[in-house]
Amino acid sequence: MAEASPRKLEALELFAPLPRHYDRVAALLSFGQDPRWRRTMVGAVRAQPGERVLDVATGTGLVARELVRRYGCQVVGLDQSYEMLASARTRLQHDDELAAHITLIEGEAERLPFADETFDHLTFTYLLRYVDDPAATMNELARVVKRGGRIASLEFAVPPNPLWNGLWRLYTRVGLPSLGRLFSREWAQTGRFLAHSIPSFYERYPVERVVELWEQAEIGDVHVRRMSLGGGLVMWGRRTADKDGGERRRPSADGGAQDT
Ligand SMILES: C[S@@+](CC[C@H](N)C(=O)[O-])C[C@H]1O[C@@H](n2cnc3c(N)ncnc32)[C@H](O)[C@@H]1O
């Protein structure tokens, strides 16, 4: 790994103690919504059995598992956290079907250890807030996807409606750290971290700017779906067929407005 920036060190430290209860706590803290967001994102990939999908920031492997169950595709799950990957490995040890379809790799989204156009499709989850240069990382993610392949992501978001926005801020500032404390000191710290990290990312990169980053990375036909009153944001698009972005256009009817 190249010398780690403060942002990267923070991400590495944040996730190191979380894998043990990650799946259950993450679902609970999002009121059961984040499995639903993950399913929507995976649904946008529309992979064929046998195709190769790269799942970046795979963590404990929840997206990788969903991809295999839904499509019977081959998945490479990549993450920079040794500890999160160790938990994903344990999952594979208990499930031969998953083990036959998923390969796990320790690596960084900013420097993917793959040749251009290696994968049919790519997914990434809760990633861009943790990287120093989201534009460069988007380019790097797109680089390893075949032309025409699908790229889909999931991220937390700040609800745009003023009422929900106010409640969301209250929940993330007070509710998340307090609920987190019920599990461990580290989850309380994660709650405090998210209350700051999510709005601060969107102050620097409003959703329209994130769409631009995708388009600059030669990803076209970009869709944006806000879910759960805007607390979750699922995006998907296709790597453009040519360098001029033949398939590019502004976000479609899903764009921004849809809330499910
Ligand atoms: C909130 S977890 C998401 C895990 C999983 N994909 C899910 O759906 O729950 C975010 C993951 O991103 C990983 N991560 C953060 N920055 C990364 C980077 N630059 N390269 C690779 N992984 C990264 C973290 O280690 C962590 O496992």
Side-chain angles (χ1 to χ4, degrees):
M1 191 183 287
E3 196 178 329
S5 69
R7 189 183 294 275
K8 182 168 285 276
L9 281 176
E10 189 174 31
L12 286 165
E13 281 169 18
L14 185 77
F15 285 101
L18 298 191
R20 201 155 147 248
H21 300 299
Y22 176 85
D23 304 0
R24 262 174 296 160
V25 182
L28 199 72
L29 296 183
S30 67
F31 297 112
Q33 295 300 296
D34 98 319
R36 201 166 72 87
W37 301 341
R38 230 176 255 120
R39 283 196 298 275
T40 300
M41 179 192 74
V42 167
V45 175
R46 289 195 272 145
Q48 299 296 315
E51 282 190 325
R52 290 187 79 200
V53 182
L54 177 63
D55 178 41
V56 179
T58 200
T60 60
L62 292 171
V63 172
R65 180 182 68 182
E66 185 78 19
L67 283 162
V68 170
R69 287 199 176 150
R70 190 144 177 171
Y71 301 115
C73 54
Q74 292 296 321
V75 180
V76 174
L78 176 140
D79 201 287
Q80 69 183 12
S81 164
Y82 171 85
E83 293 84 357
M84 292 292 271
L85 280 179
S87 171
R89 286 204 174 93
T90 305
R91 192 189 297 286
L92 299 195
Q93 278 162 13
H94 294 105
D95 190 321
D96 291 346
E97 163 89 7
L98 287 185
H101 286 83
I102 299 175
T103 308
L104 297 169
I105 292 184
E106 196 173 328
E108 298 173 86
E110 298 91 327
R111 284 164 282 275
L112 295 172
F114 307 110
D116 295 356
E117 305 188 22
T118 299
F119 294 93
D120 296 291
H121 311 288
L122 180 145
T123 50
F124 64 99
T125 335
Y126 306 119
L127 171 70
L128 291 186
R129 278 181 294 111
Y130 298 107
V131 303
D132 289 315
D133 186 344
T137 301
M138 279 310 306
N139 286 337
E140 178 65 354
L141 297 175
R143 178 184 70 76
V144 300
V145 179
K146 292 177 185 168
R147 299 276 170 187
R150 289 189 189 80
I151 297 175
S153 81
L154 164 61
E155 186 48 275
F156 294 115
V158 182
N161 173 292
L163 173 64
W164 294 121
N165 185 297
L167 289 173
W168 183 89
R169 280 179 199 276
L170 188 66
Y171 173 64
T172 52
R173 282 179 198 168
V174 182
L176 259 187
S178 310
L179 277 175
R181 207 171 301 127
L182 297 177
F183 296 96
S184 67
R185 200 158 31 93
E186 289 82 9
W187 273 107
Q189 190 195 335
T190 303
R192 283 193 295 277
F193 170 84
L194 288 174
H196 158 76
S197 157
I198 301 167
S200 118
F201 176 76
Y202 288 105
E203 276 157 27
R204 289 177 292 132
Y205 293 93
V207 174
E208 305 72 41
R209 177 80 188 106
V210 178
V211 171
E212 279 173 18
L213 298 187
W214 282 51
E215 292 177 339
Q216 283 160 11
E218 298 178 7
I219 304 166
D221 201 8
V222 179
H223 293 64
V224 178
R225 177 174 293 178
R226 291 183 188 274
M227 298 184 70
S228 311
L229 306 168
L233 190 81
V234 176
M235 293 180 61
W236 67 94
R238 293 176 78 121
R239 190 165 187 216
T240 51
D242 56 64
K243 269 191 139 336
D244 302 326
E247 293 174 26
R248 265 187 224 173
R249 61 186 167 87
R250 301 303 304 166
S252 72
D254 291 280
Q258 190 144 344
D259 195 332
T260 53

